Structures are given as structure tokens and as C-alpha cells.
Amino acid sequence: MAQMTMIQAITDAMRNELKRDENVLVFGEDVGQNGGVFRATEGLQKEFGEDRVFDTPLAESGIGGLAIGLGLTGFRPVMEVQFFGFVFEVFDSVAGQMARMRYRSGGKYHSPITVRSPFGGGVKTPELHADNLEGLMAQTPGVKVVIPSTPYDAKGLLISAIRDNDPVIYLEHMKLYRSFRAEVPEEEYTIPLGKADVKREGKDVSIITYGAMVHSSLKAAEELEKEGISAEVIDLRTISPIDIDTILESVKKTSRVIVVQEAQKQAGIGAHVASEIQERAILHLEAPIMRVSAPDTVYPFAAAEDVWLPDFKDIVEKAKAVIEF
Amino acid sequence: MSTKTLEKVEGQFETFQILNEEGEVVNEAAMPDLSDEQLQELMKRMVYTRIWDQRAISLNRQGRLGFYAPVAGQEASMLGSQFALDKEDWILPGYRDIPQIVFHGLPLYQAFLYSRGHFEGGQIPDGVNVLMPQIIIGAQIVQAAGVAMGLKRKGKQNVAITYTGDGGASQGDFYEGMNFAGAYNSPAIFVVQNNRFAISVPVEKQSAAKTIAQKAVAAGIEGIQVDGMDVLAVYAATKQARERALAGDGPTLIETLCYRYGPHTMAGDDPTRYRSSDLDDEWEKKDPLVRFRKFLEGKGLWSEEQENEVVEKAKEDIKAAIKKADAAPKQKVTDLIGFMFEEAPQHLREQLEEYTAKESK
């Protein structure tokens, strides 16, 4: 075991896969010699060579096309989109192309591609860096969407994502990159995609969440505990497909649910989670499913993040609302 | 000063031609090294494709084909370029480029199933290195840069060729694909079939550039403008681009000047709304079949009898292919679910169950 930050765990997962499978290629803007704008690919080009870890011209759509073409010729591309706000430039390659490759060829071709990309607020980035656009991806048939919240999950999920033979969008929350260290095994291990994790057990209310909101939810659970409320925190880890079994198990136990996301209310996947629960477990519910999310405006100017982003206090308030309903 | 610079650039993209409209060789030095049989084969393919186009339009009108983008007039551009390829080369076609992938190995009945909208149309046989026709104009160009890079890294002596139209050259992906292939010195050939119209919009409204070939300059790669109604010139240009790519000299952009005699697609497009009959007449005279027929007849390599044989063969093949397409099993939702992932996630497993029950009723 070693103490790692999430970004170190991500680098470690890529190193592991580059070593294990010579078809794994890591590429994007500044991921080579520079080691990535966040050091996610630090040292990888030096260790594996320019043929395996390389820079691209500054064009996201071209990077997506490159990944698709390399995937067709037997490679396993791990492409980086520098910030997920730039996904609009490569939306066709991702949602219009790689997501559909297996289907439109009737199973003949596939796209074993991992799209790594940082996102998320709280670090005062400039425009279109932090936007929570995972909801767009979750609405795209043919891709899986993974959002880790801990170093341990980040490594196991990224190894699984790279080994998956279908496209996986792997979103890395910038605020979590170096915010804490945790024990991460040095050897390889995988975490199945599509499996949620109960980060804290509880019996009064289920908080279903992902990304940075996992930590805000854990903090909220501590506050609630002080008031005698026992909150269960479920980290979805994969937001498409969602792990309905783990969600239902928790809901049946607590009968009260809040879904917490950093994205705007009209975005993210909160509505989908709520809808699945009411369809499958309405008779177990003692209160409506409520959501904690950001206001339906464009992502805030950097100096307005503090008032805009949902935080643990919003979660505490909403949890009380479903308890007191 | 700027005008002078432009003239200088444009002067480097004069139209490459080998056969004139009368079927006379006007550029002996560039004559490709093709045997009599190969020359005849090229003619056979062009005639076959012309008949296929006529039949496809008619089958579409009868409702026996779906989406169809006519190709008459572009036979030299399509088939001359494909003829220069090796069997292992990859083709990334646009939606109009069905003839190239069929002559590269996709069975005709599958092309018909593609037209109808059936998954079997996309199930490319093993060993046939083609993608399904690309509907998103430009997407095939960035993907070709990736395929070409992959071939090079795998040590293959092969190229990736891709096609778009004159309108497609305005897309961002067109530039990005060429630029990526150039930056990585990948073995790619980008063909722009300039038939002068993108649906109703004339090429003059796409760009102020006098040629499309000169757009290669922006990527720092070779560019050539070819008479796209001259099958020998298209073949020679593609062959040369292929050799250059495999020698490690990078990608090439080939602009073929051609014309589609028919509408843009069979989905209600009426070219009389935007094209004059004078323009049609002008391009009728440039028909690639007419000039190549004259050329071959002059060499004693082509006769009416041979042509009729091809016509009959084409008609028979098409009939058989349509019959085979008719026999394809109807698609079920469960089939479609099965093609989504290697392993179906829970929500799809649930839906599979739901539709399996529905389908068994």
C-alpha cells in the first residue's frame, strides 16, 4: 500500500496498463513531455517512449478521430480532453461516432477507447473548465460514464475503463486531484464499472451522489449525526449505467432519499436517479425524492463559485426536509 | 502583393489530365502502367456502376431501396481511385461512396441493406477493410488520420483513403484530419470529389479558394487537382499518392473535378431548382464512360458486345442482390440491444428481457 493523491492513483493506473498491454496509447494536448497540465501523465512518456505517450495538435475533434481510427486498427486509446468544457468540440467523435461504432457495424467493429477529462468546480478556473457536463454523456447510448471520488476508486475504475472494450468517459474532478491522500494498493486491481459504493452506512436517509459531492455529503452526514440523523452515503462511481440494485437496497432501508449533484438542476443525472427510484420503489418512500443541485444558470464566474456551488449545508438542509416531510 | 501571393499558390494546382474528352492521350508521360486486362476491368467497373446507379434510382422509386445518393458521373473519380489500392488498404467512405467499398469487397446485397436501413448492411465481412458509409460530413476525415496512424504503427504497408465532397471541404474535421495526418506523417489519402454542388449550394459559395486542392497547403501536405472525369488521371494520382505515403512522404489531398448527373439524394432533391440545363449539357460531354470507351475502342480493347455483357451481368447481379436483401431476417429490438456493448449493462438486460417477451408473443 502507498499513500496517494487521486492524481497519483490515476497516473499509476495508466502506468499499469501501459506496461501490461502494448496496444494502450496515451495521447492528448501536452500529455507527453510536459506530463499533462495536471501532471496526470507525469513520467509516462519517459518510461514508455514517444510511440506510446504522445502530444497531439490542439484540436479536440481530431483527437477523437485519431482515437477512433487507432481503435479500428487494434490499439486501445486513452485520449485526454484537457478540460471537459471542451467536449463540445469533440462531441461528434464521442457521441456521434465511438458510442455507435459497435452498433452501426452490427458488432463487427468496436471502440475500446477511454476518454479522460478533468472537470468540476471549487478551484476558480476560467470559463468552461469546470462545467459539469456528465449529464450529456449519460444521455448517450453506447458509452459508460465513470466519476471517481477517491484515490482508491480512481485507480481501480481507470484500469477497468481502459480494459473495457467499449468507450468509457472517465471524468476527473479537479478539486479532488490533490485534496487528500489515501491508501492505494501498488499492485493492479479493478473495480467493476456500473457498481456503486456505500461510503457510509446509515438508516434514516439515503444520500445518492458522485464526484466532489461525495465528500460534501460525508461532511453533511457528520453534521446530521450530531442531530441524531443517520445518513447513508452512496457514491455512484459510475453514473451511466447506474447501479440500481445498490440504490434500491438503501432506499428500502431508509425510505427517504436525496440525490446530490454539483451540476445544475436541469443537468446531471439527478432526475434520472429520482425517476428510477419512484418507478421501482415508490411504496417504500416516506417522502418525495429531493435533489440538491446548482441553479439553472451558466456555470458561475470564478468569484461567484462559493455562492453558486452546492455545499454540505445545502445537503443538510435538504436531508432535514425529507426527514421532516 | 496579396493578389500576387494568391496567384502563385493557385498556379501550383493546375488540373492534371491524361485523357481528354475525345479519349485522346494528352499527357503520355503520366500514363499509368496498366495492362490491357486492367484497362478493360476499369471500364467494366464504370459501366457496371452506371447501370447499378440507374437500377438503384429505379428501385428507390419503387420503394425497394431506401436512402440512396446517386453516383452517375463520378465513376472515374470513385473507381479510378479505388483501383489504385491494395486489398489491405482501408477505405473510409462518405455516404455517396458505396461503389468504392463494394469493389473493395462489400457484397452488393449488403450495400442494399445499408440503403434500406438494416444492421446487416454494416456487418462488413472479415478481411474487407472498409467502414460503413459516413453520414456526418467530415467525421471520416479525422478518423482516416487515426486509421493511417494505426497502420503505420502496426508496420503495415498500407494506406487509409477517405472521400468527401466539395461542401465537406468547409468542415472543421476536414482541416483537422489533414492536419493531423500531416503532423504525424501518416499514410493517408484524402479525396475531395468536387461535383460543384453541395445539395443546392454551388462550390463558389463554399470558399473563395479557387481550388480545393490548395487547401492542402494549410496542412503542409501535397495537393493535386485532377480531372475527375478521367479515370486514368484519377488512378495515376491516387497511385502516386499511395506510393508517396508508403515511402514515408506523408499524406496527399486529391481534388477530383467531377459532376453528378442525378439529384443529390433520392429524398426529394430536384436539381433543376439550382442547376441549369446548359451546365448539365456541358458536363454530359465530359462523361467518363464516353471518353474511356473511345480510348479503349481506339486500342481495340472494347466493343459494344463487351459492354452489353457487362450491362447484363450488372442487371443480373443487382436482381440477385435485391433478392438476397429481401431474404434478410427482419430486425428485432433484441438484435439492436445486442449490438450496443460487448456485455449488456443492467438497464439493457432488463430491456432485453422486456423485448424478448414482446417478440415471443
Side-chain angles (χ1 to χ4, degrees), chain A residues 186-261:
Chain A
E186 277 163 276
E187 64 275 13
E188 65 174 52
Y189 62 94
T190 58
I191 294 171
L193 305 184
K195 279 271 169 278
D197 184 40
V198 180
K199 287 279 192 283
R200 177 191 168 109
E201 294 201 15
K203 55 185 177 35
D204 298 330
V205 58
S206 300
I207 303 178
I208 300 168
T209 186
Y210 56 97
M213 289 297 115
V214 170
H215 302 282
S216 304
S217 298
L218 287 169
K219 191 170 176 194
E222 277 175 34
E223 295 296 313
L224 290 164
E225 189 71 55
K226 289 176 195 163
E227 302 185 37
I229 297 167
S230 162
E232 177 148 299
V233 178
I234 295 179
D235 180 359
L236 288 173
R237 299 198 294 197
T238 299
I239 62 136
S240 178
I242 54 171
D243 178 0
I244 202 74
D245 291 340
T246 302
I247 294 171
L248 289 181
E249 202 180 314
S250 178
V251 171
K252 286 173 184 172
K253 182 167 65 170
T254 63
S255 305
R256 290 181 166 82
V257 187
I258 60 170
V259 186
V260 180
Q261 65 181 23

Side-chain angles (χ1 to χ4, degrees), chain B residues 158-219:
Chain B
N158 289 107
V159 301
I161 191 168
T162 186
Y163 298 84
T164 191
D166 40 298
S170 302
Q171 288 277 7
D173 275 357
F174 170 73
Y175 168 69
E176 287 187 30
M178 283 197 305
N179 189 56
F180 269 57
Y184 293 117
N185 200 33
S186 300
I189 303 172
F190 304 99
V191 181
V192 174
Q193 302 187 83
N194 177 1
N195 64 22
R196 307 191 50 77
F197 286 89
I199 307 190
S200 65
V201 179
V203 67
E204 292 78 15
K205 289 197 174 162
Q206 295 292 342
S207 172
K210 289 282 184 294
T211 71
I212 291 172
Q214 77 198 59
K215 297 191 177 210
V217 174

Side-chain angles (χ1 to χ4, degrees), chain A residues 23 51 54-57 59 61-63 65-66 68-70 72-75 92 97 102-109 141-142 165-166 241 244-245 280, chain B residues 90 122-126 128 130-134 136 139 142-143 145-147 149-150 153-154 173 176 180 183-184 336 339-342 345-347 350:
Chain A
N23 287 317
D51 278 351
F54 54 92
D55 290 321
T56 64
S61 187
I63 295 170
L66 200 66
I68 292 166
L70 288 167
L72 288 168
T73 46
F75 289 98
D92 178 57
Q97 306 291 330
R102 188 184 289 278
Y103 175 87
R104 64 189 292 264
S105 67
K108 160 81 190 212
Y109 299 123
N165 284 326
D166 291 300
I244 202 74
D245 291 340
R280 293 164 193 264
Chain B
W90 273 79
Q123 290 177 321
I124 312 294
D126 285 342
V128 178
V130 306
L131 274 190
M132 302 66 71
Q134 179 58 254
I136 301 303
V142 281
Q143 291 171 22
V147 170
M149 183 195 241
R153 280 166 179 269
K154 291 281 182 192
D173 275 357
E176 287 187 30
F180 269 57
Y184 293 117
L336 309 183
F339 298 134
M340 286 304 300
F341 293 98
E342 184 176 50
Q346 184 183 354
H347 61 107
E350 287 178 4

Side-chain angles (χ1 to χ4, degrees), chain B residues 274-291:
Chain B
Y274 52 83
R275 279 192 328 212
S276 69
S277 57
D278 282 355
L279 193 62
D280 285 345
D281 291 347
E282 183 195 327
W283 283 89
E284 290 284 356
K285 285 182 210 141
K286 299 179 197 273
D287 190 328
L289 272 65
V290 170
R291 80 173 74 171

Side-chain angles (χ1 to χ4, degrees), chain A residues 9-306:
Chain A
I10 286 167
T11 312
D12 196 47
M14 280 189 276
R15 183 182 294 113
N16 191 81
E17 290 309 285
L18 280 160
K19 205 178 282 176
R20 195 186 66 93
D21 181 351
E22 61 177 19
N23 287 317
V24 171
L25 301 177
V26 172
F27 54 89
E29 295 156 10
D30 309 290
V31 305
Q33 193 177 12
N34 191 44
V37 292
F38 290 105
R39 304 285 168 264
T41 52
E42 175 95 345
L44 296 181
Q45 188 182 70
K46 203 172 171 198
E47 187 175 346
F48 298 97
E50 277 184 58
D51 278 351
R52 305 287 307 286
V53 181
F54 54 92
D55 290 321
T56 64
L58 202 168
E60 286 76 17
S61 187
I63 295 170
L66 200 66
I68 292 166
L70 288 167
L72 288 168
T73 46
F75 289 98
R76 194 171 284 280
V78 182
M79 60 172 265
E80 181 179 301
V81 176
Q82 200 160 69
F83 294 94
F84 204 56
F86 309 167
V87 73
F88 297 112
E89 294 285 348
V90 64
F91 211 69
D92 178 57
S93 280
V94 176
Q97 306 291 330
M98 62 178 80
R100 303 164 64 105
M101 185 65 79
R102 188 184 289 278
Y103 175 87
R104 64 189 292 264
S105 67
K108 160 81 190 212
Y109 299 123
H110 64 281
S111 288
I113 298 168
T114 303
V115 180
R116 283 188 45 248
S117 190
F119 79 108
V123 289
K124 305 253 191 296
T125 50
E127 213 175 352
L128 263 174
H129 283 54
D131 292 58
N132 295 261
L133 302 170
E134 70 278 7
L136 299 173
M137 292 289 118
Q139 290 208 5
T140 302
V143 299
K144 299 187 182 101
V145 187
V146 172
I147 303 182
S149 70
T150 69
Y152 178 85
D153 288 349
K155 178 172 172 180
L157 288 167
L158 183 52
I159 291 178
S160 293
I162 295 173
R163 293 182 189 178
D164 199 284
N165 284 326
D166 291 300
V168 178
I169 316 301
Y170 182 92
L171 299 176
E172 306 167 3
H173 200 291
M174 281 183 276
K175 201 180 171 188
L176 301 181
Y177 267 154
R178 295 186 172 82
S179 58
F180 66 101
R181 285 174 187 275
E183 291 283 328
V184 176
E186 277 163 276
E187 64 275 13
E188 65 174 52
Y189 62 94
T190 58
I191 294 171
L193 305 184
K195 279 271 169 278
D197 184 40
V198 180
K199 287 279 192 283
R200 177 191 168 109
E201 294 201 15
K203 55 185 177 35
D204 298 330
V205 58
S206 300
I207 303 178
I208 300 168
T209 186
Y210 56 97
M213 289 297 115
V214 170
H215 302 282
S216 304
S217 298
L218 287 169
K219 191 170 176 194
E222 277 175 34
E223 295 296 313
L224 290 164
E225 189 71 55
K226 289 176 195 163
E227 302 185 37
I229 297 167
S230 162
E232 177 148 299
V233 178
I234 295 179
D235 180 359
L236 288 173
R237 299 198 294 197
T238 299
I239 62 136
S240 178
I242 54 171
D243 178 0
I244 202 74
D245 291 340
T246 302
I247 294 171
L248 289 181
E249 202 180 314
S250 178
V251 171
K252 286 173 184 172
K253 182 167 65 170
T254 63
S255 305
R256 290 181 166 82
V257 187
I258 60 170
V259 186
V260 180
Q261 65 181 23
E262 185 176 301
Q264 294 89 335
K265 195 165 194 177
Q266 68 182 64
I269 61 148
H272 174 61
V273 172
S275 173
E276 287 287 334
I277 295 169
Q278 71 81 20
E279 223 176 88
R280 293 164 193 264
I282 196 160
L283 295 178
H284 293 272
L285 292 176
E286 296 287 344
I289 303 159
M290 293 192 189
R291 289 181 280 163
V292 175
S293 49
D296 286 326
T297 71
V298 168
Y299 191 87
F301 299 104
E305 270 188 337
D306 293 346

